[in-house]
Amino acid sequence: MKKKMLLLNTTVLLGLGGVLSTPAYASTIQDMESHKSQIQNQRQDVQSNIKAASDELTRLQAEQDQMKAQLERLTIAEEENNQKAQKTEADIKETSKQVEQLEKEIKLLQEKLEKRNDILKDRARSLQESGGNVEYLQVLLGSSSFSDFVDRALAVSTIVDADRGILKETKNMQDELKTKQADVKAKLASLEDMKAELDEMTVQLAAQKKQKDALAKELKDKEAKNEELKASLQSKDSSLANEQSTLEQNIKDQKAAEEAARKAAEQAQKAEAAPAEKVDSPSPKAAPQASSNDVAPTSAPAPKASNVVTVGNRWIGNSAYVFGGGRSQSDISHGLFDCSSFVHWAYSQVGVNLGPLGSVSTETLKHAGTQVSSSQMQPGDLVFFDTYKKDGHVGIYVGGGKFIGAQSSTGVAIANMSSGYWKQKFNGRVVRI
């Protein structure tokens, strides 16, 4: 009986050994390994796409941050310019009242002057018609004595001289009022031009904000789509990772089953016959440890402005025009300039002081250096333009018929002065610092 059982076990194990010797298991493991390799390749592609999506998100977010900062600058500029426009409008109303009051005073003086002129004309006409001095004749006839006559005559002369003095005084006052009126009207015209410039600036800022808002929305939409793509890729990678993990476990289980079957067959064979030859399994070789060479990152030297022509480039696209702006550290930190404060800032960056920042204007800058002919213009020279007033705008010539400055429509930007708007406004004034 014992022999029969041994024979049966031997037969079963030999049969099992025959199955193990076929390529069925090996083929299954090989297929799973191949599938695992395919999944790993797919995961590499997906992870590469995830990285690309993350990099694009980082870029979009940085662009979005820059756009938000510019929108904040434009909002500040719009608010400050609106305040200045409101103040200018109030000044215009007040100055208009002054003009009206002066016109009324001039009219009253003109009426007084005309009345006094009429009196003198009547007196002169009376003397001419009588052929003599009617007043003296009346004084003579009405006097009681020679002494009385002298007194009366002196009184008449004094009255005439007083009339003439009053007339002269009235005329002087009228001339003075006309001069004041001319000055006030000039001031009113300047304020009205400034108001027009500020109104145009407000329109331009609103248009810029509208454009930036549209771009910000477009960036936001791109971010949302990119986030969706990244999430989809991460979900796919997670699914592939689970599939890879399952395959790896299946391969491990299959190999364990093969190993158990092999050991069972060996034990059966040992029990049936002589012990099988002991085969030493080769010692596993230690996998070479990967080494990495750490390379210390090298940082490029920070860009340094070398001259006044290029130092302002950092504000291009990162600034806004504010009438009267750029005269405090807060304004400068936020990139809020007007034309003269930008020029002052640019020269200060290369060590040139153009006077007190608080009082800098196009008027002070045009006297800050030596005037040269426009035909001798060279990079770094100040160029002036007649906008809302004579020499109302200033910039720094950069060469090639272009200048850099804080423009109301763009903030700090490089503009062409050899054609179009700025060519028409350029008045030929060039100042070399």
Side-chain angles (χ1 to χ4, degrees), residues 80-363:
E80 292 195 13
N81 284 323
N82 280 336
Q83 289 175 5
K84 286 184 174 66
Q86 290 170 6
K87 183 180 182 304
T88 303
E89 191 171 357
D91 290 343
I92 287 172
K93 288 180 181 178
E94 182 61 31
T95 306
S96 297
K97 289 179 182 178
Q98 292 177 20
V99 171
E100 290 175 6
Q101 182 62 33
L102 285 169
E103 286 176 346
K104 288 179 182 178
E105 292 179 17
I106 290 171
K107 186 177 180 181
L108 288 173
L109 284 169
Q110 184 68 31
E111 289 174 358
K112 288 181 180 179
L113 187 62
E114 287 175 359
K115 287 179 181 179
R116 293 183 182 281
N117 278 334
D118 289 341
I119 291 171
L120 283 178
K121 286 177 183 177
D122 287 343
R123 288 177 177 175
R125 190 182 301 112
S126 181
L127 284 170
Q128 184 180 6
E129 288 175 353
S130 64
N133 192 328
V134 176
E135 291 176 327
Y136 277 16
L137 182 62
Q138 291 173 345
V139 168
L140 178 62
L141 293 174
S143 61
S144 59
S145 65
F146 182 74
S147 176
D148 185 27
F149 167 76
V150 172
D151 290 338
R152 285 172 177 256
L154 287 173
V156 171
S157 177
T158 302
I159 290 171
V160 172
D161 289 341
D163 283 344
R164 287 174 181 166
I166 291 172
L167 281 173
K168 186 175 181 181
E169 181 183 353
T170 305
K171 182 68 169 61
N172 290 340
M173 191 179 296
Q174 185 189 42
D175 291 342
E176 183 181 351
L177 284 171
K178 283 184 178 179
T179 301
K180 285 182 179 179
Q181 185 189 43
D183 291 341
V184 173
K185 281 185 175 180
K187 179 183 176 183
L188 179 62
S190 177
L191 285 169
E192 287 172 344
D193 288 343
M194 186 186 297
K195 178 66 167 53
E197 180 99 351
L198 287 166
D199 287 343
E200 177 62 24
M201 203 181 303
T202 300
V203 171
Q204 291 169 347
L205 286 167
Q208 287 182 60
K209 281 188 68 181
K210 186 176 179 180
Q211 182 184 16
K212 298 295 182 187
D213 282 333
L215 287 173
K217 184 180 182 303
E218 185 180 336
L219 283 172
K220 202 70 180 172
D221 291 343
K222 284 182 181 179
E223 278 187 37
K225 289 179 181 177
N226 221 56
E227 286 280 11
E228 187 179 343
L229 172 63
K230 183 179 176 182
S232 173
L233 289 168
Q234 287 174 331
S235 176
K236 184 175 181 180
D237 183 58
S238 178
S239 176
L240 288 170
N242 289 335
E243 189 175 350
Q244 180 180 335
S245 178
T246 300
L247 275 172
E248 288 172 348
Q249 186 60 45
N250 289 342
I251 291 170
K252 183 179 179 181
D253 293 344
Q254 192 80 326
K255 286 182 176 180
E258 285 185 7
E259 182 64 18
R262 186 184 65 76
K263 287 181 177 178
E266 286 179 355
Q267 288 175 359
Q269 288 174 1
K270 286 178 183 178
E272 177 67 20
E277 183 181 354
K278 184 178 179 181
V279 180
D280 292 331
S281 58
S283 300
K285 292 182 179 178
Q289 185 174 359
S291 62
S292 61
N293 294 324
D294 294 332
V295 179
T298 57
S299 58
K304 184 179 180 181
S306 58
N307 57 64
V308 75
V309 173
T310 58
V311 72
N313 290 352
R314 58 170 290 196
W315 293 116
I316 296 175
N318 297 306
S319 59
Y321 183 95
V322 175
F323 202 95
R327 287 162 178 78
S328 69
Q329 190 54 51
S330 175
D331 277 1
I332 294 171
S333 299
H334 288 89
L336 304 176
F337 296 98
D338 66 8
C339 60
S340 51
S341 65
F342 170 74
V343 168
H344 187 285
W345 173 86
Y347 268 93
S348 72
Q349 299 305 294
V350 294
V352 178
N353 185 355
L354 295 181
L357 176 60
S359 59
V360 66
S361 66
T362 54
E363 195 66 24

